[in-house]
């Protein structure tokens, strides 16, 4: 997974560390302001799904603090979609803190090709 994140963002760093601990190989780069927003838009992430960082893996966008299990299901099922999003910055999500047992309760969305979001269970 390649992650584009803001400079000095501790929660972005924590999410990258979390993904590595889950067995993902992660590269990352810093981008700021309109360049970061442009990157999100270029990946097909709609503004209503924005979070603080954006990942790209195997042709899919991963927006925000998406749990590893959801990413693994996406890569297994390979739906015709832009990717996954966990909009905003939920306080109880990977990289933001909280209890791992509640991460399955996060409202992860599938980003459809038309920009709409639908619930993605994993």
């Amino acid at each position: 997974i390649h992650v584009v994140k803001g400079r000095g963002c501790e929660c972005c760093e924590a999410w990258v560390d979390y993904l590595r601990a889950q067995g993902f190989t992660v590269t990352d780069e810093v981008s700021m302001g309109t360049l970061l927003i442009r990157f999100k838009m270029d990946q097909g992430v709609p503004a209503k799904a924005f979070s603080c960082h954006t990942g790209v893996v195997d042709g899919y966008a991963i927006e925000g603090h998406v749990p590893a299990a959801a990413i693994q299901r996406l890569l297994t099922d390979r739906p015709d979609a832009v990717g996954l999003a966990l909009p905003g910055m939920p306080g109880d999500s990977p990289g933001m803190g909280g209890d791992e047992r509640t991460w399955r309760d996060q409202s992860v969305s599938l980003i459809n090709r038309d920009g709409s979001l639908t619930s993605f269970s994993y």
Side-chain angles (χ1 to χ4, degrees), residues 2 7 33 37 39 41 66 83 86 118:
H2 182 71
R7 181 180 319 282
I37 292 169
F39 180 79
M41 293 171 63
V66 176
L86 184 53
T118 54

Side-chain angles (χ1 to χ4, degrees), residues 1-6 15 27-47 50-64 82 111:
I1 299 176
H2 182 71
V3 178
V4 179
K5 58 190 174 78
W15 189 67
T27 58
D28 60 320
E29 70 178 281
V30 171
S31 184
M32 300 294 287
T34 56
L35 291 175
L36 182 56
I37 292 169
R38 172 55 49 200
F39 180 79
K40 294 171 184 297
M41 293 171 63
D42 287 349
Q43 305 313 307
V45 177
F50 282 5
S51 183
C52 58
H53 55 263
T54 305
V56 178
V57 60
D58 226 7
Y60 290 107
I62 308 295
E63 181 68 17
V82 169
I111 306 170

Side-chain angles (χ1 to χ4, degrees), residues 10 14 55 60 63 73 78-79 83 89 92 96 102 106-107 109:
E10 292 180 22
Y60 290 107
E63 181 68 17
R73 177 170 169 236
R78 307 221 38 95
M89 297 172 65
D92 190 22
M96 291 295 290
T102 65
Q106 296 298 321
S107 299
S109 296

